């Protein structure tokens, strides 16, 4: 988290940002460009895939063209309003399709100015007016932003949840204040679909399971009742469902439409609705999770459909087409408040709800359904879903990971052990107590996660063995000089980190508590290795790729804007859940840096080397991850990288419960087995910074633009 401050020098005003260093845990002042926040907002707003989504662009273009033709066929002039114009693309489409007037509004000032430049570059400044306002602030009349109401509305105000960006309010206001009664809207409507499934993998992102001993038959740590019974949070969990393993879920209720939103104004848009469907289960199992997606109808005849369905339910799949990739609209996962065991052909009742911004769902056996009951939006009352993200809950539930932790702890914990756990929201402390430790101290720097751990301690009757502390200084009054800590351990995991190697904060914390450690104290993990691997992405490269042009319209000004802001505010490495993005290996994994937690943190460390390319293709970037060496036993290594042996030019299967780092190359180069990769990594302990640099000697120096 960053906070703003100001510092004046003799030349101009500069901006300091104070932030917590994720590696050292210290607060630092960092001198930034005075427009840092401005540039960060610009960089985050648009260097994504939206405008690389060819299907989206083409179907919007066709919808706009058909709407204008329809208005003209009625002998009317086409007056187009574009709400949230961004780059001005939809307005350009309208002008090129013969609109008589086009008014575009954009509240984000840098984008409004960029849209003006793009419109001018494309020679259409005489046909399009850009209003730097929210649509809800616009006025109509002789002295207003619009001389008269529009009879064509084109807008894209949707997110993965369809209505999460305020689409309902935007359309309602537009029809009330800005549009003619018989206007045409692009898109004209949307339909929301859901599929009820059984999936323990998905459910493990929502509900914590008991942790078993290595034999699998004995529960070491039980889940508190409040957490077991919590209905969870209704917050959307958006993922790329097409990459979700098909063998990890089964359908209980096949895809079914639950809501239709009529954007045309012919039917009132309600802020809140419920829909009750009587359905029949398609298989035996347990209903746990709801998958959701939506489609847009782009024309009046319902022939131009833009679908966000996953691969198994997408209309293009039926025709053998390759699905368009998009990261701005994914699919959503919702968790049923209660699991429902079902048999094939059981009669079920699905109750779907939405308010102005979100959805939630309930499922009942027909005999348990009470039609007059009010089913409120699920709210977390156990603290787990507030303190932990979905990915973190999944990691805690990872049985293979827990087996390794328990196996390693069993080799070190004795009845005389005095343990110290250094991690946020970790159950390893209570586990050590259950394995027989005499005393366990847990330092957890996050208030919310501490409460969850304390609930586990109380539920498992460990209050006399485990003490949870907020900081290292709390140890002073508790650890006796004659009773020092004999085992210090951690996962490690800290809520302030984004990239896997930033969790070496464990090492810094261990150094801080050195005075409390016995000279023979053991450390788990003993070290960590940062690994790298060159990749060819199918699509993820688009999030940092320039546009050049879209549907024949020049986007040079937009590319310049993003590239400039990105150079000021963006790191070359992004945290990404790589299991969601198809990629192929061009090299085997190679080690770029090791950390030894049994030694003191000392001088700067640099490594460099050369790696031969083993595959053929276009290299878009380097994946980076960490393997945690718990005790020197390879069987106990915890990896945040590939889950299976890497095969060259084959899809990589990634750990689904952590994010990996991706170093994106600015230019994409064609490589083969004659190519080499060069790396240089520097770790500066004092600042806690790890700097990565990668380069490629490509095949015959062939460089491909980002459009490839």
């Amino acid at each position: 988290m960053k906070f703003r401050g100001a510092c004046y020098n003799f030349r101009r005003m500069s901006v300091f940002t104070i932030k917590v260093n994720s590696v050292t845990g210290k607060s630092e002042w960092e001198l930034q460009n005075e427009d840092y926040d401005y540039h960060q907002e610009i960089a985050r707003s648009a260097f994504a895939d939206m405008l690389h989504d060819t299907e989206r662009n083409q179907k919007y273009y066709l919808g706009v063209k058909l709407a204008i033709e329809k208005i003209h066929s009625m002998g009317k002039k086409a007056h187009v309003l574009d709400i949230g114009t961004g780059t001005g693309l939809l307005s350009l489409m309208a002008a090129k399709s013969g609109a008589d007037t086009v008014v575009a509004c954009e509240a984000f000032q840098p984008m409004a100015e960029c849209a003006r430049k793009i419109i001018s570059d494309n020679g259409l400044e005489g046909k399009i007016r850009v209003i730097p306002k929210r649509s809800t602030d616009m006025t109509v009349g002789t002295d207003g932003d619009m001389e008269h109401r529009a009879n064509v509305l084109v807008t894209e105000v949707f997110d993965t949840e369809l209505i999460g960006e305020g689409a309902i309010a935007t359309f309602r206001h537009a029809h009330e204040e800005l549009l003619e009664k018989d206007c045409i809207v692009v898109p004209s409507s949307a339909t929301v679909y859901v599929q009820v499934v059984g999936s323990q993998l998905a459910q493990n992102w929502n509900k914590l399971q008991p942790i078993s001993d290595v034999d699998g038959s004995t529960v070491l740590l039980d889940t508190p009742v409040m957490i077991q019974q919590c209905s969870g949070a209704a917050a959307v969990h958006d993922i790329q469902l097409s990459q979700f393993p098909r063998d990890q879920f089964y359908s209980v209720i096949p895809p079914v439409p639950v809501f239709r939103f009529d954007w045309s104004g012919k039917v009132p848009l309600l802020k809140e609705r419920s829909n009750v469907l009587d359905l029949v289960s398609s298989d035996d199992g347990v209903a746990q999770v709801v998958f959701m997606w939506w489609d847009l109808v782009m024309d009046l005849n319902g022939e131009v459909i833009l679908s966000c369905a996953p691969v198994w339910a997408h209309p293009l799949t039926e025709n053998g087409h390759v699905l368009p990739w998009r990261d701005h609209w994914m699919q959503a996962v919702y968790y049923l408040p209660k699991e429902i065991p079902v048999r094939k052909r059981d009669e079920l009742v699905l109750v779907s709800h939405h308010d102005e911004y979100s959805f939630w769902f309930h499922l009942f056996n027909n005999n348990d359904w009470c039609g007059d009951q009010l089913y409120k939006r699920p709210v977390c009352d156990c603290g787990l879903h507030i303190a932990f993200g979905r990915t973190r809950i999944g990691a805690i539930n990872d049985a293979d990971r827990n087996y390794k932790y328990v196996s390693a702890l069993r080799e070190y914990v004795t009845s005389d052990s005095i343990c110290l756990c250094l991690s946020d929201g970790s159950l390893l402390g209570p586990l050590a107590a259950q394995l027989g430790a005499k005393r366990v101290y847990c330092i957890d720097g996050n208030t919310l996660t501490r409460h969850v751990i304390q609930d586990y301690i109380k539920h498992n009757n460990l209050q006399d063995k485990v003490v949870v502390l907020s900081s290292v200084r709390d140890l002073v009054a508790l650890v006796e000089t004659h009773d020092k800590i004999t085992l210090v351990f951690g996962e490690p995991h800290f809520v302030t980190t984004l990239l896997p190697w930033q969790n070496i904060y464990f090492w810094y914390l261990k150094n801080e508590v050195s005075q409390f450690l016995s000279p023979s104290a053991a450390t788990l993990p003993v070290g960590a290795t940062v690994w790298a691997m060159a990749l060819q992405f199918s699509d993820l490269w688009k999030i940092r790729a320039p546009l050049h042009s879209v549907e024949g319209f020049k986007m040079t000004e937009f590319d310049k804007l993003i590239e400039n802001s990105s150079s000021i505010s963006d790191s070359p490495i992004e945290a990404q859940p790589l299991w969601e993005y198809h990629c192929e290996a061009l090299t085997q994994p190679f080690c770029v840096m090791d950390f030894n937690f049994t030694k003191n943190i000392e001088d700067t460390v640099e490594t460099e080397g050369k790696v031969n390319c083993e595959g053929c293709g276009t290299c878009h970037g380097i994946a980076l991850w960490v393997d945690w060496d718990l005790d020197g036993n390879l069987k106990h290594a915890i990896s945040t990288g590939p889950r299976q042996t890497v095969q060259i030019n084959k899809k990589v299967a990634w750990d689904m419960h952590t994010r990996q780092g991706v170093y994106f190359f600015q230019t994409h180069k064609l490589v083969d087995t004659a190519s080499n990769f060069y790396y240089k990594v520097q770790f500066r302990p004092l600042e806690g910074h790890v700097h990565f640099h990668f380069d490629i000697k490509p095949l015959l120096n062939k460089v491909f633009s980002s459009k490839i």
Side-chain angles (χ1 to χ4, degrees):
M1 181 178 292
K2 295 187 177 183
F3 301 91
R4 295 294 302 277
C7 163
Y8 291 88
N9 61 26
F10 293 110
R11 295 184 179 179
R12 65 182 180 86
M13 188 181 80
S14 297
V15 172
F16 278 116
T17 61
I18 186 170
K19 66 176 185 178
V20 176
N21 185 309
S22 298
V23 175
T24 66
K26 297 178 180 177
S27 296
E28 300 174 347
W29 285 100
E30 191 174 78
L31 187 63
Q32 298 282 8
N33 182 291
E34 62 178 317
D35 295 320
Y36 179 84
D37 288 351
Y38 161 89
H39 288 292
Q40 188 175 55
E41 188 170 359
I42 292 173
R44 293 288 177 269
S45 71
F47 234 10
D49 72 305
M50 181 181 294
L51 293 173
H52 287 283
D53 186 346
T54 302
E55 186 201 31
R56 166 195 176 274
N57 298 337
Q58 291 178 347
K59 290 190 173 180
Y60 259 100
Y61 206 163
L62 181 55
V64 169
K65 182 174 180 291
L66 292 173
I68 292 170
E69 288 178 352
K70 179 66 174 177
I71 294 293
H72 284 166
S73 72
M74 295 187 292
K76 299 180 180 180
K77 289 185 176 182
H79 301 296
V80 177
L81 171 62
D82 174 7
I83 293 179
T85 193
T87 61
L89 178 62
L90 300 185
S91 291
L92 291 167
M93 291 175 174
K96 203 72 172 178
S97 298
D100 296 280
T101 65
V102 181
V103 175
C105 68
E106 172 57 55
F108 186 34
Q109 299 295 323
M111 286 310 304
E113 184 58 32
C114 181
R116 288 193 181 100
K117 292 178 181 178
I118 290 172
I119 290 165
S120 178
D121 281 354
N122 286 278
L124 292 168
E125 66 272 23
K127 299 195 69 174
I128 303 170
R129 286 183 62 219
V130 177
I131 308 297
K133 290 183 178 181
R134 295 181 180 274
S135 62
T136 50
D137 294 331
M138 291 178 65
T139 56
V140 178
T142 305
D143 299 322
D145 300 307
M146 301 167 60
E147 291 184 14
H148 42 68
R149 290 180 177 237
N151 55 13
V152 176
L153 170 64
V154 57
T155 187
E156 198 279 80
V157 289
F158 311 112
D159 63 352
T160 292
E161 208 169 8
L162 182 68
I163 57 176
E165 292 184 0
I168 291 176
T170 297
F171 281 106
R172 283 168 60 103
H173 176 268
H175 282 294
E176 291 170 2
E177 304 293 340
L178 306 175
L179 301 174
E180 293 182 2
K181 191 172 183 179
D182 58 349
C183 66
I184 298 176
V185 178
V186 181
S188 61
S189 66
T191 301
V192 174
Y193 297 85
V194 301
Q195 179 179 9
V196 181
V197 305
S199 173
Q200 192 56 49
L201 176 59
Q203 184 69 312
N204 281 349
W205 284 325
N206 182 55
K207 288 189 177 294
L208 283 178
Q209 310 299 323
I211 297 178
S212 299
D213 205 344
V214 291
D215 60 8
S217 61
T218 305
V219 172
L220 279 178
L221 203 63
D222 196 18
T223 308
V225 174
M226 182 172 286
I227 292 177
Q228 293 179 42
Q229 297 178 348
C230 181
S231 61
V236 63
H237 183 193
D238 53 340
I239 64 173
Q240 295 280 2
L241 270 183
S242 291
Q243 299 300 318
F244 193 81
R246 295 293 296 275
D247 61 354
Q248 293 296 319
F249 73 94
Y250 54 87
S251 185
V252 174
I253 296 175
V256 58
V258 293
F259 288 115
R260 181 177 183 273
F261 292 85
D262 188 333
W263 310 127
S264 71
K266 306 296 188 294
V267 178
L269 271 175
L270 302 179
K271 294 182 180 180
E272 298 181 21
R273 283 187 294 172
S274 295
N275 183 30
V276 179
L277 293 177
D278 295 313
L279 301 165
V280 175
S281 59
S282 58
D283 208 343
D284 297 345
V286 180
Q288 297 168 307
V289 176
V290 176
F291 293 161
M292 185 278 271
W293 60 89
W294 46 263
D295 65 26
L296 297 175
V297 177
M298 309 304 293
D299 66 325
L300 294 177
N301 297 325
E303 297 173 354
V304 183
I305 308 295
L306 180 57
S307 175
C308 292
V311 60
W312 64 84
H314 202 288
L316 288 178
T317 305
E318 300 172 4
N319 301 321
H321 297 293
V322 176
L323 261 63
W325 179 83
R326 48 180 64 105
D327 213 38
H328 53 106
W329 300 329
M330 292 188 274
Q331 295 80 37
V333 177
Y334 300 87
Y335 300 91
L336 291 170
K338 292 183 179 179
E339 296 184 346
I340 306 294
V342 299
R343 301 297 300 270
K344 187 175 182 179
R345 305 297 303 170
D346 274 358
E347 294 181 353
L348 303 172
V349 178
L350 176 65
V351 186
S352 305
H353 317 262
H354 79 76
D355 57 20
E356 195 169 355
Y357 301 100
S358 58
F359 297 90
W360 62 97
F361 304 91
H362 292 81
L363 185 70
F364 304 90
N365 284 305
N366 190 54
N367 295 333
D368 299 329
W369 161 242
C370 299
D372 58 349
Q373 189 169 342
L374 178 63
Y375 299 100
K376 295 182 178 180
R377 175 187 174 92
V379 175
C380 172
D381 56 12
C382 73
L384 172 72
H385 306 92
I386 300 171
F388 294 84
R390 300 294 186 186
T391 299
R392 176 61 181 156
I393 295 173
I396 296 173
N397 276 323
D398 187 331
D400 178 64
R401 170 184 171 280
N402 289 335
Y403 175 87
K404 293 175 179 179
Y405 282 129
V406 173
S407 297
L409 285 172
R410 270 207 171 279
E411 295 186 13
Y412 288 88
V413 173
T414 70
S415 58
D416 294 323
S417 294
I418 298 182
C419 303
L420 175 62
C421 179
L422 303 174
S423 281
D424 291 343
S426 177
L427 297 179
L428 295 190
L431 278 172
Q434 290 289 54
L435 291 171
K438 178 180 179 181
R439 190 75 166 164
V440 180
Y441 301 102
C442 300
I443 295 180
D444 187 329
N446 184 271
T447 302
L448 296 175
T449 56
R450 278 201 305 274
H451 288 163
V452 174
I453 302 308
Q454 287 165 339
D455 288 342
Y456 265 88
I457 292 167
K458 183 177 181 180
H459 179 75
N460 289 275
N461 298 312
L462 298 171
Q463 299 96 315
D464 61 336
K465 281 191 168 188
V466 185
V467 178
V468 181
L469 310 172
S470 63
S471 66
V472 171
R473 60 179 173 270
D474 294 336
L475 275 177
V476 176
L478 296 174
V479 179
E480 302 290 340
T481 55
H482 63 278
D483 209 13
K484 288 197 170 184
I485 291 162
T486 60
L487 176 62
V488 57
F489 56 82
E491 300 188 29
H493 169 81
F494 300 97
V495 297
T496 56
T497 63
L498 290 175
L499 296 162
W501 53 89
Q502 292 174 338
N503 287 300
I504 64 169
Y505 177 42
F506 168 84
W507 195 10
Y508 287 79
L509 280 177
K510 185 201 166 190
N511 274 17
E512 282 189 50
V513 300
S514 58
Q515 62 179 306
F516 304 110
L517 304 184
S518 162
S520 60
T523 302
L524 273 76
V526 295
T529 300
V530 182
W531 292 88
M533 181 167 60
L535 295 176
Q536 173 175 278
F537 287 103
S538 295
D539 297 288
L540 186 62
W541 58 269
K542 297 173 184 176
I543 68 173
R544 287 212 176 190
L547 295 168
H548 303 302
S549 67
V550 176
E551 296 304 309
F553 299 106
K554 291 184 289 186
M555 291 287 164
T556 308
E557 287 296 327
F558 178 73
D559 289 340
K560 290 179 183 177
L561 177 70
I562 300 303
E563 287 168 6
N564 178 57
S565 291
S566 182
S567 68
I568 292 171
S569 66
D570 275 354
S571 164
I573 298 176
E574 288 192 15
Q576 294 287 349
L578 287 183
W579 73 267
E580 295 188 53
Y581 304 105
H582 186 280
C583 57
E584 297 178 3
L586 296 172
T587 65
Q588 285 291 336
F590 53 95
C591 168
V592 295
M593 182 156 283
D594 287 308
F595 302 100
N596 187 340
F597 300 154
T598 65
K599 297 182 178 180
N600 292 329
I601 301 172
E602 295 178 342
D603 299 328
T604 295
V605 179
E606 291 186 357
T607 63
E608 57 184 304
K610 179 179 77 171
V611 177
N612 295 327
C613 182
E614 298 177 61
C616 300
T618 302
C619 184
H620 298 109
I622 305 290
L624 294 156
W625 68 94
V626 171
D627 284 358
W628 304 100
D629 180 4
L630 294 186
D631 57 1
N633 185 341
L634 286 176
K635 292 182 179 180
H636 296 162
I638 304 290
S639 179
T640 62
R643 296 300 291 259
Q644 300 172 5
T645 301
V646 171
Q647 298 183 55
I648 300 299
N649 282 129
K650 299 293 184 182
K651 180 181 178 181
V652 183
W654 294 96
D655 175 57
M656 296 179 68
H657 305 309
T658 52
R659 291 174 179 257
Q660 295 74 35
V662 183
Y663 181 103
F664 286 101
F665 288 114
Q666 291 185 343
T667 56
H668 305 154
K669 300 179 181 182
L670 190 65
V671 297
D672 72 354
T673 53
S675 306
N676 295 313
F677 294 91
Y678 298 86
Y679 67 86
K680 187 172 183 178
V681 182
Q682 183 187 68
F683 171 52
R684 299 206 300 263
L686 186 62
E687 296 92 348
H689 295 156
V690 184
H691 295 274
F692 299 86
H693 178 74
F694 296 91
D695 202 0
I696 310 173
K697 182 181 178 182
L699 171 64
L700 299 177
N701 290 318
K702 287 188 177 179
V703 179
F704 285 73
S705 74
S706 300
K707 291 184 69 177
I708 291 178

